[in-house]
Amino acid sequence: MTATYYVQNVLSQVKSASNEQRPKVSTSRTLLLHDDAGPHKARATTQSLRELGIQVLPHPAYSPDLESCDFCLFPISKDRLAGRKFDRIQDLAKAVNSELRTIPEEDYQ
């Protein structure tokens, strides 16, 4: 992906989706979380974001808050636990631990 493609295709979709979902709110209230990929840091991208009034949240290169588990393991658990109600935090923790134990070890690789 190049910065040109990103600006012309991706950012235009972000703007359209933002306008569609929140028509009374300007894009200046839109926040994006970018990583350090080249197209995200390119001059064309930053200029386009500035023109659209979209703010970019700072993102450390290797944030411990964004572990790979956030993208592969937790969505699985979330889907499996969807719709269940827990009266106590301990019950939720037990259910999450139980669900994580059902994931095969090779999926952690």
Side-chain angles (χ1 to χ4, degrees):
M1 178 180 303
T2 65
T4 303
Y5 178 88
Y6 185 73
V7 168
Q8 292 175 352
N9 297 288
V10 178
L11 288 183
S12 63
Q13 289 179 17
V14 167
K15 182 181 178 188
S16 296
S18 179
N19 289 340
E20 188 176 300
Q21 292 175 10
R22 303 178 310 166
K24 295 180 182 177
V25 179
S26 73
T27 54
S28 66
R29 305 251 339 249
T30 302
L31 299 173
L32 279 182
L33 176 63
H34 275 166
D35 58 18
D36 293 329
H40 297 165
K41 298 187 310 182
R43 182 176 294 139
T45 301
T46 56
Q47 180 179 349
S48 182
L49 289 167
R50 206 171 17 261
E51 290 169 3
L52 292 171
I54 297 174
Q55 295 179 18
V56 177
L57 295 171
H59 181 274
Y62 297 102
S63 173
D65 295 335
L66 296 173
E67 289 292 327
S68 59
C69 294
D70 292 344
F71 303 105
C72 64
L73 297 177
F74 293 140
I76 294 170
S77 298
K78 181 180 169 184
D79 288 343
R80 293 178 181 176
L81 295 171
R84 292 177 56 187
K85 303 260 188 254
F86 300 95
D87 294 326
R88 301 177 324 140
I89 193 75
Q90 295 88 346
D91 298 334
L92 171 62
K94 187 183 284 187
V96 169
N97 284 328
S98 176
E99 287 300 330
L100 289 174
R101 285 191 188 100
T102 66
I103 299 171
E105 186 175 331
E106 56 271 5
D107 286 359
Y108 285 93
Q109 302 300 323

